[in-house]
Amino acid sequence: MTYTGSDVLWHGEPIKAVIHIDSNTDYTVYTDGSYDSYAGNMIKSIKFNLSEGNNKVNPLGIASSNSISMSIYDKDDALSPANEQSPYYGKIVNGIEIDISISYDGVNWEPYGKYYATNWDGSFSEGWHGFVNVTAEDMMNTIGNKDLPEIQAYQGMYAADLIGAVMEGIGLSSSEYYVDDRINEQMTYGITTGSKVRDFMNNICQLLFARVVINRSGVIMFVPALDTYEDANEF
């Protein structure tokens, strides 16, 4: 049975993390070791720090990045950045993409967040390696720190077109962002202000009474500030 939106709590459903080591190499690990053909590798713990809920995010403006922290045990210590014998040595660096999925029926997997590594650390004591601790965050802070592209003064432009010009100006495709029709107002005139994309996001959200979140598929969502959603796991 797949998730229907009626149950918003976690009841021990298995979590999968796919770590994209490089363009040709993925490392997959689970909270339930029975999914791993290499018995002994598993996620010991995973914690989510989500700032998208109505009780966490400023209803106007941009939220800070959501983040995760994981403790992973690999029998060969392959994820330790200090392990020179690892096939991934030299590739365990910050910025690696980590895709998290969840299974509600034990077979099919649904997106549970797209993150980028910010820290790795391993341990070695008494002749044996321990867990590798990984922290990661979504792309919100990274995008917010980008320089605002040059946008001409506008008149009579719809919000979706202005947002699209900025998002695509920093290299995102139309599939990587979404503007809710309910905030797609026609804007009389104006200019973009500030030097960073976060300045633009804050300003546009103040103007449209909106907020910016990143959903579990990694899409940047411009949505009404005080709206609620039937599916609690939509974001």
Side-chain angles (χ1 to χ4, degrees), residues 110-200:
E110 300 181 16
Y112 210 63
K114 187 185 296 288
Y115 299 89
Y116 300 86
T118 57
N119 187 68
W120 304 80
D121 69 77
S123 62
F124 192 91
S125 64
E126 299 181 357
W128 197 251
H129 66 269
F131 296 96
V132 170
N133 299 307
V134 186
T135 57
E137 63 180 29
D138 66 26
M139 69 170 66
M140 187 71 82
N141 286 341
T142 300
I143 287 182
N145 284 331
K146 288 183 177 290
D147 291 331
L148 186 65
E150 292 187 6
I151 303 293
Q152 294 183 347
Y154 55 86
Q155 182 175 0
M157 179 181 286
Y158 280 93
D161 295 329
L162 177 60
I163 292 170
V166 172
M167 295 294 100
E168 293 174 26
I170 60 173
L172 300 182
S173 68
S174 58
S175 64
E176 295 177 288
Y177 67 90
Y178 165 82
V179 182
D180 194 297
D181 285 339
R182 290 167 293 180
I183 63 168
N184 189 22
E185 301 176 8
Q186 187 173 27
M187 308 171 73
T188 306
Y189 62 89
I191 57 173
T192 54
T193 60
S195 61
K196 299 292 184 181
V197 171
R198 75 161 61 88
D199 300 323
F200 167 77

Side-chain angles (χ1 to χ4, degrees), residues 24-47:
N24 299 312
T25 308
D26 290 341
Y27 178 99
T28 303
V29 64
Y30 304 81
T31 53
D32 184 341
S34 65
Y35 285 92
D36 195 347
S37 59
Y38 301 97
N41 299 347
M42 66 178 298
I43 301 172
K44 175 181 178 289
S45 65
I46 181 168
K47 298 178 181 178

Side-chain angles (χ1 to χ4, degrees), residues 8-133:
V8 301
L9 301 178
W10 183 74
H11 295 294
E13 294 87 353
I15 299 289
K16 175 174 68 173
V18 179
I19 303 172
H20 300 288
I21 304 295
D22 59 32
S23 58
N24 299 312
T25 308
D26 290 341
Y27 178 99
T28 303
V29 64
Y30 304 81
T31 53
D32 184 341
S34 65
Y35 285 92
D36 195 347
S37 59
Y38 301 97
N41 299 347
M42 66 178 298
I43 301 172
K44 175 181 178 289
S45 65
I46 181 168
K47 298 178 181 178
F48 294 86
N49 181 13
L50 305 180
S51 56
E52 297 165 343
N54 288 337
N55 63 334
K56 289 292 186 75
V57 64
N58 182 337
L60 294 177
I62 183 173
S64 60
S65 279
N66 294 327
S67 62
I68 60 170
S69 58
M70 294 187 292
S71 291
I72 300 174
Y73 182 79
D74 181 281
K75 64 178 182 178
D76 299 320
D77 201 27
L79 293 180
S80 174
N83 182 7
E84 297 183 4
Q85 305 305 313
S86 169
Y88 313 130
Y89 181 69
K91 298 180 179 181
I92 304 299
V93 296
N94 291 345
I96 288 178
E97 181 180 322
I98 302 174
D99 292 337
I100 305 296
S101 303
I102 190 170
S103 178
Y104 295 100
D105 61 5
V107 178
N108 300 296
W109 297 91
E110 300 181 16
Y112 210 63
K114 187 185 296 288
Y115 299 89
Y116 300 86
T118 57
N119 187 68
W120 304 80
D121 69 77
S123 62
F124 192 91
S125 64
E126 299 181 357
W128 197 251
H129 66 269
F131 296 96
V132 170
N133 299 307

